[in-house]
Amino acid sequence: MTSDSTVVLGIEIPSTDPVFVGVIVGVHIPLGLACVVAGAVAMLSAKGRGRHSTAGKVYYWFLLAISASAMFLSIMRWAENYHLFILGTLSFASAWLGRKAIRDRWRHWARLHVTGMGLSYVLMLVAFYVDNGKQLPLWKDLPHFTYWLLPLAVGIPLIVRALLWHPLVRHPSLR
């Protein structure tokens, strides 16, 4: 631990401010974990009503909350964290677009939903790795730019795969 950071469970938090540390530990980390789990459940579940839509709603509302906490934390340390503000905003905006497309049944809503929700998840992971990669096993040995590129390099092909192969996207008549 340096004089201007706090270590919690082996993770260095770049502040000694009790509000900052409290929001990180008590709000931001639990919301992040909930988003990762809910998003994964939604992605891996059969599409439609039931588990997929329930997990998707949980993901969306937790993503709103984690984006708000990221914005609050970024404002507290703007010079160091403005990029996390931008990533949080883009992540939630992508989820909003994906949710709005399916709720209002826009033209090509399935494509927009898959793209928006998938991109929101990838951007959330980019923010995590950009902020924490330097402390993670294996990741800490990589150059900093890979914290930005690896989640995109994995996530974008998966989104493209879903856009090319998912039945609701390929065959709009199945909707």
Side-chain angles (χ1 to χ4, degrees), residues 96-97 100-102 104-110 112 175:
W96 180 87
L97 177 76
K100 186 77 170 155
I102 196 169
D104 294 351
R105 291 292 198 245
W106 290 347
R107 183 179 158 105
H108 304 297
W109 65 265
L112 293 169
R175 295 181 212 148

Side-chain angles (χ1 to χ4, degrees), residues 66-133:
I66 197 172
S67 297
S69 71
M71 290 174 185
F72 174 78
L73 294 165
S74 295
I75 289 167
M76 288 186 76
R77 300 183 71 247
W78 186 256
E80 299 86 3
N81 290 342
Y82 69 91
H83 60 287
L84 298 173
F85 182 96
I86 294 167
L87 287 168
T89 301
L90 290 174
S91 179
F92 183 73
S94 297
W96 180 87
L97 177 76
R99 186 170 191 254
K100 186 77 170 155
I102 196 169
R103 290 175 64 105
D104 294 351
R105 291 292 198 245
W106 290 347
R107 183 179 158 105
H108 304 297
W109 65 265
R111 287 186 179 111
L112 293 169
H113 178 69
V114 167
T115 303
M117 299 308 278
L119 190 57
S120 75
Y121 195 85
V122 171
L123 289 170
M124 177 185 63
L125 292 177
V126 168
F128 170 78
Y129 288 116
V130 164
D131 195 38
N132 299 292

Side-chain angles (χ1 to χ4, degrees), residues 24-42:
I24 289 279
V25 173
V27 177
H28 196 72
I29 291 171
L31 286 172
L33 293 170
C35 278
V36 168
V37 170
V41 169

Side-chain angles (χ1 to χ4, degrees), residues 105-111 163-175:
R105 291 292 198 245
W106 290 347
R107 183 179 158 105
H108 304 297
W109 65 265
R111 287 186 179 111
L163 290 171
L164 293 174
W165 295 103
H166 195 281
L168 288 176
V169 175
R170 289 183 66 193
H171 306 289
S173 60
L174 296 176
R175 295 181 212 148

Side-chain angles (χ1 to χ4, degrees), residues 2-3 8 12 15 29 39 44 51 63 77 79 99 102 108 112 116 118 120-121 132 135 144 147 149 157 160 173:
T2 64
S3 62
V8 177
E12 186 175 356
S15 179
I29 291 171
L44 298 173
R51 182 177 291 160
L63 184 65
R77 300 183 71 247
R99 186 170 191 254
I102 196 169
H108 304 297
L112 293 169
S120 75
Y121 195 85
N132 299 292
Q135 299 182 67
H144 183 75
Y147 304 158
L149 293 182
V160 170
S173 60

